[in-house]
CSV table of all heavy atoms in Angstrom, one decimal:
chain,number,residue,atom,x,y,z
A,10,LYS,N,-3.3,2.4,-3.9
A,10,LYS,CA,-2.3,3.4,-4.3
A,10,LYS,C,-2.0,4.4,-3.2
A,10,LYS,O,-0.9,4.8,-3.0
A,10,LYS,CB,-2.7,4.1,-5.6
A,10,LYS,CG,-2.7,3.2,-6.8
A,10,LYS,CD,-1.3,2.9,-7.3
A,10,LYS,CE,-1.3,2.1,-8.6
A,10,LYS,NZ,0.0,1.7,-8.9
A,11,ALA,N,-3.1,4.8,-2.5
A,11,ALA,CA,-2.9,5.8,-1.5
A,11,ALA,C,-2.1,5.2,-0.3
A,11,ALA,O,-1.2,5.9,0.2
A,11,ALA,CB,-4.3,6.3,-1.0
A,12,GLU,N,-2.4,4.0,0.0
A,12,GLU,CA,-1.6,3.3,1.1
A,12,GLU,C,-0.2,3.2,0.7
A,12,GLU,O,0.7,3.4,1.5
A,12,GLU,CB,-2.2,1.9,1.4
A,12,GLU,CG,-3.5,2.0,2.2
A,12,GLU,CD,-4.1,0.6,2.4
A,12,GLU,OE1,-3.8,-0.4,1.7
A,12,GLU,OE2,-4.9,0.5,3.3
A,13,GLN,N,0.1,2.8,-0.5
A,13,GLN,CA,1.5,2.7,-1.0
A,13,GLN,C,2.2,4.0,-0.9
A,13,GLN,O,3.3,4.1,-0.4
A,13,GLN,CB,1.5,2.1,-2.4
A,13,GLN,CG,1.1,0.7,-2.5
A,13,GLN,CD,0.9,0.2,-3.9
A,13,GLN,OE1,0.5,1.0,-4.8
A,13,GLN,NE2,1.1,-1.1,-4.2
A,14,ALA,N,1.5,5.1,-1.4
A,14,ALA,CA,2.2,6.4,-1.4
A,14,ALA,C,2.4,6.9,0.1
A,14,ALA,O,3.5,7.4,0.4
A,14,ALA,CB,1.3,7.4,-2.1
A,15,LYS,N,1.4,6.7,0.9
A,15,LYS,CA,1.6,7.1,2.3
A,15,LYS,C,2.7,6.3,3.0
A,15,LYS,O,3.5,6.9,3.7
A,15,LYS,CB,0.2,6.9,3.0
A,15,LYS,CG,0.2,7.4,4.5
A,15,LYS,CD,-1.2,7.2,5.1
A,15,LYS,CE,-1.2,7.5,6.5
A,15,LYS,NZ,-2.5,7.2,7.1
A,16,GLY,N,2.7,5.1,2.7
A,16,GLY,CA,3.8,4.2,3.3
A,16,GLY,C,5.2,4.6,2.8
A,16,GLY,O,6.1,4.7,3.6
A,17,LYS,N,5.3,5.0,1.6
A,17,LYS,CA,6.6,5.4,1.0
A,17,LYS,C,7.0,6.7,1.6
A,17,LYS,O,8.2,6.9,2.0
A,17,LYS,CB,6.5,5.5,-0.5
A,17,LYS,CG,7.8,5.8,-1.2
A,17,LYS,CD,8.8,4.7,-1.0
A,17,LYS,CE,10.0,4.9,-1.8
A,17,LYS,NZ,11.0,4.0,-1.5
A,18,ALA,N,6.1,7.6,1.8
A,18,ALA,CA,6.4,8.9,2.4
A,18,ALA,C,6.8,8.7,3.9
A,18,ALA,O,7.8,9.3,4.3
A,18,ALA,CB,5.1,9.8,2.4
A,19,LYS,N,6.1,7.9,4.6
A,19,LYS,CA,6.5,7.6,6.0
A,19,LYS,C,7.9,7.0,6.1
A,19,LYS,O,8.8,7.4,6.9
A,19,LYS,CB,5.6,6.6,6.7
A,19,LYS,CG,4.4,7.2,7.3
A,19,LYS,CD,3.6,6.2,8.1
A,19,LYS,CE,2.5,6.8,8.8
A,19,LYS,NZ,1.7,5.8,9.6
A,20,GLU,N,8.2,6.0,5.2
A,20,GLU,CA,9.5,5.4,5.2
A,20,GLU,C,10.6,6.4,4.8
A,20,GLU,O,11.6,6.4,5.5
A,20,GLU,CB,9.5,4.3,4.1
A,20,GLU,CG,10.8,3.5,4.1
A,20,GLU,CD,10.9,2.4,3.0
A,20,GLU,OE1,9.9,2.2,2.3
A,20,GLU,OE2,12.0,1.8,2.9
A,21,THR,N,10.4,7.3,3.9
A,21,THR,CA,11.3,8.3,3.5
A,21,THR,C,11.6,9.3,4.6
A,21,THR,O,12.8,9.6,4.9
A,21,THR,CB,10.8,9.0,2.2
A,21,THR,OG1,10.6,8.1,1.2
A,21,THR,CG2,11.8,10.1,1.8
A,22,ILE,N,10.5,9.7,5.3
A,22,ILE,CA,10.7,10.6,6.4
A,22,ILE,C,11.5,9.9,7.5
A,22,ILE,O,12.3,10.5,8.2
A,22,ILE,CB,9.3,11.2,6.9
A,22,ILE,CG1,8.8,12.1,5.8
A,22,ILE,CG2,9.5,11.9,8.2
A,22,ILE,CD1,7.3,12.4,6.0
A,23,GLY,N,11.1,8.7,7.8
A,23,GLY,CA,11.8,7.9,8.8
A,23,GLY,C,13.3,7.8,8.6
A,23,GLY,O,14.1,7.9,9.5
A,24,ARG,N,13.6,7.5,7.3
A,24,ARG,CA,15.0,7.4,7.0
A,24,ARG,C,15.7,8.8,7.2
A,24,ARG,O,16.9,8.8,7.6
A,24,ARG,CB,15.2,6.9,5.5
A,24,ARG,CG,14.9,5.5,5.4
A,24,ARG,CD,15.2,5.0,3.9
A,24,ARG,NE,14.7,3.7,3.6
A,24,ARG,CZ,15.2,2.6,4.1
A,24,ARG,NH1,16.3,2.6,4.8
A,24,ARG,NH2,14.6,1.4,3.7
A,25,ALA,N,15.0,9.8,6.8
A,25,ALA,CA,15.6,11.2,6.9
A,25,ALA,C,15.9,11.6,8.3
A,25,ALA,O,17.0,12.2,8.6
A,25,ALA,CB,14.7,12.2,6.2
A,26,VAL,N,15.1,11.2,9.2
A,26,VAL,CA,15.3,11.6,10.6
A,26,VAL,C,15.9,10.4,11.5
A,26,VAL,O,16.1,10.6,12.7
A,26,VAL,CB,13.9,12.1,11.3
A,26,VAL,CG1,13.4,13.3,10.6
A,26,VAL,CG2,12.9,11.0,11.3
A,27,GLY,N,16.1,9.3,10.9
A,27,GLY,CA,16.6,8.2,11.6
A,27,GLY,C,15.7,7.5,12.6
A,27,GLY,O,16.1,6.9,13.6
A,28,ASN,N,14.4,7.5,12.3
A,28,ASN,CA,13.4,6.9,13.1
A,28,ASN,C,13.0,5.5,12.6
A,28,ASN,O,12.3,5.4,11.6
A,28,ASN,CB,12.2,7.8,13.2
A,28,ASN,CG,11.1,7.3,14.1
A,28,ASN,OD1,11.0,6.2,14.4
A,28,ASN,ND2,10.4,8.3,14.7
A,29,GLU,N,13.5,4.5,13.3
A,29,GLU,CA,13.3,3.1,12.8
A,29,GLU,C,11.8,2.7,12.8
A,29,GLU,O,11.4,2.0,12.0
A,29,GLU,CB,14.1,2.1,13.7
A,29,GLU,CG,15.6,2.2,13.5
A,29,GLU,CD,16.1,1.8,12.2
A,29,GLU,OE1,15.5,0.8,11.6
A,29,GLU,OE2,17.1,2.4,11.7
A,30,ARG,N,11.1,3.2,13.8
A,30,ARG,CA,9.7,2.8,13.9
A,30,ARG,C,8.9,3.4,12.8
A,30,ARG,O,8.0,2.7,12.2
A,30,ARG,CB,9.1,3.4,15.3
A,30,ARG,CG,7.7,2.9,15.5
A,30,ARG,CD,7.2,3.4,16.9
A,30,ARG,NE,5.8,3.8,16.7
A,30,ARG,CZ,5.3,4.9,17.2
A,30,ARG,NH1,6.1,5.7,17.9
A,30,ARG,NH2,4.1,5.2,16.9
A,31,LEU,N,9.2,4.6,12.4
A,31,LEU,CA,8.5,5.2,11.2
A,31,LEU,C,8.9,4.5,9.9
A,31,LEU,O,8.0,4.3,9.1
A,31,LEU,CB,8.9,6.7,11.1
A,31,LEU,CG,8.0,7.6,10.4
A,31,LEU,CD1,6.6,7.6,10.9
A,31,LEU,CD2,8.5,9.1,10.4
A,32,ILE,N,10.1,4.1,9.8
A,32,ILE,CA,10.5,3.3,8.6
A,32,ILE,C,9.7,2.0,8.6
A,32,ILE,O,9.1,1.6,7.5
A,32,ILE,CB,12.0,3.0,8.7
A,32,ILE,CG1,12.8,4.3,8.5
A,32,ILE,CG2,12.4,2.0,7.6
A,32,ILE,CD1,14.3,4.1,8.8
A,33,ALA,N,9.6,1.3,9.7
A,33,ALA,CA,8.8,0.0,9.8
A,33,ALA,C,7.3,0.3,9.5
A,33,ALA,O,6.7,-0.5,8.7
A,33,ALA,CB,9.0,-0.6,11.1
A,34,GLU,N,6.8,1.3,10.0
A,34,GLU,CA,5.4,1.6,9.7
A,34,GLU,C,5.1,1.9,8.2
A,34,GLU,O,4.2,1.5,7.7
A,34,GLU,CB,4.9,2.9,10.5
A,34,GLU,CG,4.7,2.6,12.0
A,34,GLU,CD,4.3,3.9,12.7
A,34,GLU,OE1,3.9,4.9,12.1
A,34,GLU,OE2,4.3,3.8,14.0
A,35,GLY,N,6.1,2.6,7.6
A,35,GLY,CA,6.0,2.9,6.2
A,35,GLY,C,6.0,1.7,5.4
A,35,GLY,O,5.2,1.5,4.4
A,36,LYS,N,7.0,0.8,5.7
A,36,LYS,CA,7.1,-0.5,5.0
A,36,LYS,C,5.8,-1.3,5.1
A,36,LYS,O,5.3,-2.0,4.2
A,36,LYS,CB,8.3,-1.3,5.4
A,36,LYS,CG,9.6,-0.7,4.9
A,36,LYS,CD,10.8,-1.5,5.3
A,36,LYS,CE,12.1,-0.9,4.8
A,36,LYS,NZ,13.2,-1.8,5.2
A,37,ALA,N,5.2,-1.3,6.3
A,37,ALA,CA,4.0,-2.1,6.6
A,37,ALA,C,2.9,-1.5,5.8
A,37,ALA,O,2.1,-2.3,5.2
A,37,ALA,CB,3.7,-2.1,8.1
A,38,GLU,N,2.7,-0.2,5.7
A,38,GLU,CA,1.7,0.4,4.9
A,38,GLU,C,1.8,0.1,3.4
A,38,GLU,O,0.9,-0.2,2.7
A,38,GLU,CB,1.6,1.9,5.1
A,38,GLU,CG,0.8,2.2,6.4
A,38,GLU,CD,0.5,3.7,6.5
A,38,GLU,OE1,0.0,4.2,5.5
A,38,GLU,OE2,0.7,4.2,7.6
A,39,GLN,N,3.1,0.1,2.9
A,39,GLN,CA,3.3,-0.2,1.5
A,39,GLN,C,2.9,-1.7,1.3
A,39,GLN,O,2.3,-2.0,0.2
A,39,GLN,CB,4.8,0.0,1.2
A,39,GLN,CG,5.2,1.4,1.1
A,39,GLN,CD,6.7,1.5,0.7
A,39,GLN,OE1,7.1,1.2,-0.4
A,39,GLN,NE2,7.5,2.0,1.7
A,40,SER,N,3.3,-2.6,2.2
A,40,SER,CA,2.9,-4.0,2.0
A,40,SER,C,1.4,-4.2,2.0
A,40,SER,O,0.9,-5.0,1.2
A,40,SER,CB,3.5,-4.8,3.1
A,40,SER,OG,4.9,-4.8,3.0
A,41,LYS,N,0.7,-3.4,2.9
A,41,LYS,CA,-0.7,-3.5,2.9
A,41,LYS,C,-1.3,-3.1,1.6
A,41,LYS,O,-2.3,-3.7,1.0
A,41,LYS,CB,-1.3,-2.7,4.1
A,41,LYS,CG,-2.7,-2.8,4.3
A,41,LYS,CD,-3.1,-2.0,5.6
A,41,LYS,CE,-4.6,-1.9,5.7
A,41,LYS,NZ,-5.0,-1.0,6.9
A,42,GLY,N,-0.8,-2.0,1.0
A,42,GLY,CA,-1.3,-1.5,-0.2
A,42,GLY,C,-1.0,-2.5,-1.4
A,42,GLY,O,-1.8,-2.7,-2.3
A,43,ASP,N,0.2,-3.1,-1.3
A,43,ASP,CA,0.6,-4.1,-2.3
A,43,ASP,C,-0.4,-5.3,-2.3
A,43,ASP,O,-0.8,-5.8,-3.3
A,43,ASP,CB,2.0,-4.6,-2.1
A,43,ASP,CG,3.1,-3.5,-2.4
A,43,ASP,OD1,2.8,-2.5,-3.1
A,43,ASP,OD2,4.2,-3.7,-1.9
A,44,ALA,N,-0.7,-5.7,-1.1
A,44,ALA,CA,-1.6,-6.8,-0.9
A,44,ALA,C,-3.0,-6.5,-1.5
A,44,ALA,O,-3.7,-7.3,-2.2
A,44,ALA,CB,-1.7,-7.2,0.5
A,45,ARG,N,-3.5,-5.3,-1.1
A,45,ARG,CA,-4.8,-4.8,-1.6
A,45,ARG,C,-4.8,-4.8,-3.2
A,45,ARG,O,-5.7,-5.2,-3.8
A,45,ARG,CB,-5.2,-3.5,-1.1
A,45,ARG,CG,-6.6,-3.0,-1.4
A,45,ARG,CD,-6.9,-1.6,-0.9
A,45,ARG,NE,-6.7,-1.4,0.5
A,45,ARG,CZ,-7.7,-1.5,1.4
A,45,ARG,NH1,-8.9,-1.7,1.1
A,45,ARG,NH2,-7.4,-1.3,2.7
A,46,GLN,N,-3.7,-4.3,-3.7
A,46,GLN,CA,-3.6,-4.2,-5.2
A,46,GLN,C,-3.6,-5.6,-5.8
A,46,GLN,O,-4.2,-5.8,-6.8
A,46,GLN,CB,-2.3,-3.4,-5.5
A,46,GLN,CG,-2.2,-3.1,-7.0
A,46,GLN,CD,-1.1,-2.2,-7.3
A,46,GLN,OE1,0.0,-2.3,-6.7
A,46,GLN,NE2,-1.2,-1.3,-8.3
A,47,ALA,N,-2.9,-6.5,-5.2
A,47,ALA,CA,-2.8,-7.8,-5.8
A,47,ALA,C,-4.2,-8.5,-5.7
A,47,ALA,O,-4.6,-9.2,-6.7
A,47,ALA,CB,-1.8,-8.7,-5.0
A,48,LYS,N,-4.9,-8.3,-4.6
A,48,LYS,CA,-6.3,-8.8,-4.5
A,48,LYS,C,-7.2,-8.3,-5.6
A,48,LYS,O,-7.9,-9.0,-6.2
A,48,LYS,CB,-6.8,-8.5,-3.1
A,48,LYS,CG,-8.2,-9.0,-2.9
A,48,LYS,CD,-8.8,-8.6,-1.6
A,48,LYS,CE,-9.4,-7.2,-1.7
A,48,LYS,NZ,-10.1,-6.8,-0.6
Side-chain angles (χ1 to χ4, degrees):
K10 290 290 185 187
E12 284 176 339
Q13 290 169 331
K15 185 177 173 186
K17 186 65 176 172
K19 272 188 178 180
E20 182 183 359
T21 301
I22 292 168
R24 288 187 192 282
V26 298
N28 186 330
E29 293 292 325
R30 186 174 139 228
L31 200 56
I32 294 170
E34 285 178 12
K36 287 183 179 182
E38 279 193 45
Q39 286 181 68
S40 295
K41 187 176 173 184
D43 291 343
R45 186 185 304 263
Q46 187 175 37
K48 180 183 86 172

